[in-house]
Amino acid sequence: MIILELTESSNRYPDSNPVASLIGNWKIDDAEQCLAYFYNVIVKSHAMESYNQAINLLLDAGKQRFGMDYALVTRPVSESVYEVQAFSCEEDGRFYVGQHISTASSLCHRVRGSGDVCSVSDVAKTEGTISQLAYAGVNVGSYVGAQVKTHFAASSILCFFSSAPKQQSIDAEDENLLEMLAQGVAYLVDQQKTQAQRKNIDSTMFANGSLNTLDEYLEQAKLPELYGIPGRVVEVLKKRIGESALSIGHISDELTLSKRTLQRRLQQQNVNFAELRDQVRYHYSIDYLVKNRKSIDSISTALDFSDRTSFTNAFKRWTGMSPSTFRKLFRDFV
């Protein structure tokens, strides 16, 4: 049985990489732990740089699990040509996304035709010679593959292979893991496509002027450059965000002014405290929603609203949409 060990200290995902903290430490030596790892990658994929990054994590895991040197996800573009959608190998330049490979008489073509898991421990002995054109010049000695059945496109093929033959084929337990792995990749491919479609729709809405871009909302929410008492109020509000109350009484106490004196000095510069506080809240709310991904309730508390409804109403006043809608629209643009 192959042991898969993915840790935060690995070279591929060092401590500085946020992926390491997302997926944690893993030492996989049985099927249950392997499935737990797959599950952990999939459910946390939305927080990664891209869904492709999550797919690559699964390919790396499968490659180690089955003791192979190469991993591919390919989709058929004709009867004899497949396109590489994702890959994992140690050789730079061997494979690339969008690459076309010839698979007229390959093992991938067999998997596509039968729909079953294919496992060959010694390709030369049982299959004869596989054309090196089929796998970018790799002389395939051992191979395992399964269908990736997506909802939004034709089925792809997930495969792992090495130049050297293996002593024995994978067992029934590992065949089950391969099928689970293919289902995980299918889910991530679908999410990737959905994300791309959503971005296209959003881009059309931006182009039609029916929705501002994220940059435009960030510009609207910029903190004002103020001096004197208004500038000091902004600094105190910033310092207290997420820590203390933001009422005018608390701000005036921190500035060692009476509430009435603070109001009068702000009015002298045509500044309204409630509007100034709203601008600071607006600025931080966007950061919390799309960058830090805090919950709506925690944002409401951090910005010193009485409850979630009060924050939602204020955010609708600022942007024309609810906080949850805003997050759905823009979380993929950060």
Side-chain angles (χ1 to χ4, degrees), residues 226-236 251 255 257 261-269 271 276:
L226 297 171
Y227 304 93
I229 289 296
R232 290 175 64 192
V233 169
V234 170
E235 290 305 312
V236 172
I251 302 305
L255 292 172
L257 297 171
T261 298
L262 177 57
Q263 287 176 320
R264 186 177 68 250
R265 292 196 180 180
L266 289 174
Q267 288 170 357
Q268 288 171 351
Q269 298 190 41
V271 175
L276 194 58

Side-chain angles (χ1 to χ4, degrees), residues 205-278:
M205 294 175 70
F206 297 147
N208 292 338
S210 56
L211 191 69
N212 289 337
T213 65
L214 179 59
D215 285 341
E216 287 172 322
Y217 283 114
L218 289 171
E219 183 64 28
Q220 290 176 8
K222 279 180 66 175
L223 292 176
E225 292 186 11
L226 297 171
Y227 304 93
I229 289 296
R232 290 175 64 192
V233 169
V234 170
E235 290 305 312
V236 172
L237 286 168
K238 287 166 57 180
K239 185 176 71 174
R240 295 175 70 91
I241 286 286
E243 301 292 337
S244 310
L246 304 179
S247 70
I248 189 170
H250 287 92
I251 302 305
S252 61
D253 286 346
E254 187 152 341
L255 292 172
T256 63
L257 297 171
S258 70
K259 178 180 174 181
R260 181 171 296 180
T261 298
L262 177 57
Q263 287 176 320
R264 186 177 68 250
R265 292 196 180 180
L266 289 174
Q267 288 170 357
Q268 288 171 351
Q269 298 190 41
N270 297 315
V271 175
N272 178 279
F273 175 80
E275 292 176 355
L276 194 58
R277 180 178 59 185
D278 264 6

Side-chain angles (χ1 to χ4, degrees), residues 35-319:
L35 285 174
Y37 171 78
F38 296 164
Y39 174 81
N40 200 36
V41 170
I42 290 168
V43 298
K44 295 180 180 179
S45 59
H46 69 281
M48 296 182 191
E49 241 175 60
S50 66
Y51 286 109
N52 201 53
Q53 186 177 55
I55 292 171
N56 288 339
L57 283 170
L58 292 186
L59 294 186
D60 286 349
K63 201 172 62 173
Q64 294 184 58
R65 175 75 191 185
F66 304 124
M68 300 294 186
D69 298 323
Y70 304 89
L72 290 179
V73 178
T74 63
R75 69 178 185 90
V77 294
S78 73
E79 282 302 310
S80 60
V81 176
Y82 280 48
E83 181 181 71
V84 175
Q85 293 178 290
F87 67 92
S88 175
C89 69
E90 301 303 320
E91 300 174 68
D92 292 338
R94 170 73 74 174
F95 295 101
Y96 57 89
V97 174
Q99 176 183 13
H100 283 186
I101 54 179
S102 175
T103 57
S105 59
S106 71
L107 293 163
C108 282
H109 202 61
R110 180 196 296 180
V111 173
R112 181 190 175 194
S114 68
D116 297 327
V117 168
C118 177
S119 172
V120 183
S121 57
D122 191 334
V123 172
K125 182 183 292 185
T126 60
E127 308 295 322
T129 303
I130 300 293
S131 170
Q132 291 190 11
L133 293 176
Y135 299 100
V138 177
N139 181 29
V140 178
S142 51
Y143 174 99
V144 293
Q147 274 197 343
V148 176
K149 300 176 182 177
T150 61
H151 289 292
F152 301 122
S155 295
S156 302
I157 304 299
L158 167 67
C159 66
F160 302 91
F161 54 94
S162 287
S163 299
K166 299 296 178 186
Q167 289 186 352
Q168 59 185 26
S169 298
I170 62 173
D171 57 21
E173 185 178 78
D174 278 342
E175 282 194 9
N176 182 54
L177 289 174
L178 177 61
E179 290 183 324
M180 293 289 188
L181 191 54
Q183 290 173 21
V185 171
Y187 169 80
L188 294 170
V189 169
D190 279 336
Q191 292 303 303
Q192 195 173 42
K193 191 166 185 65
T194 301
Q195 181 187 73
Q197 289 173 335
R198 186 168 62 245
K199 284 190 176 182
N200 286 338
I201 293 170
D202 292 345
S203 297
T204 302
M205 294 175 70
F206 297 147
N208 292 338
S210 56
L211 191 69
N212 289 337
T213 65
L214 179 59
D215 285 341
E216 287 172 322
Y217 283 114
L218 289 171
E219 183 64 28
Q220 290 176 8
K222 279 180 66 175
L223 292 176
E225 292 186 11
L226 297 171
Y227 304 93
I229 289 296
R232 290 175 64 192
V233 169
V234 170
E235 290 305 312
V236 172
L237 286 168
K238 287 166 57 180
K239 185 176 71 174
R240 295 175 70 91
I241 286 286
E243 301 292 337
S244 310
L246 304 179
S247 70
I248 189 170
H250 287 92
I251 302 305
S252 61
D253 286 346
E254 187 152 341
L255 292 172
T256 63
L257 297 171
S258 70
K259 178 180 174 181
R260 181 171 296 180
T261 298
L262 177 57
Q263 287 176 320
R264 186 177 68 250
R265 292 196 180 180
L266 289 174
Q267 288 170 357
Q268 288 171 351
Q269 298 190 41
N270 297 315
V271 175
N272 178 279
F273 175 80
E275 292 176 355
L276 194 58
R277 180 178 59 185
D278 264 6
Q279 188 65 23
V280 174
R281 284 169 158 173
Y282 183 18
H283 173 81
Y284 281 96
S285 65
I286 290 181
D287 190 70
Y288 287 155
L289 281 168
V290 299
K291 294 182 180 178
N292 296 327
R293 306 191 182 206
K294 291 178 177 287
S295 70
I296 306 299
D297 287 330
S298 66
I299 295 173
S300 303
T301 301
L303 300 181
D304 196 31
F305 284 94
S306 58
D307 52 36
R308 177 191 179 114
T309 301
S310 298
F311 168 58
T312 297
N313 291 338
F315 197 83
K316 284 181 177 178
R317 189 173 69 250
W318 302 330
T319 66

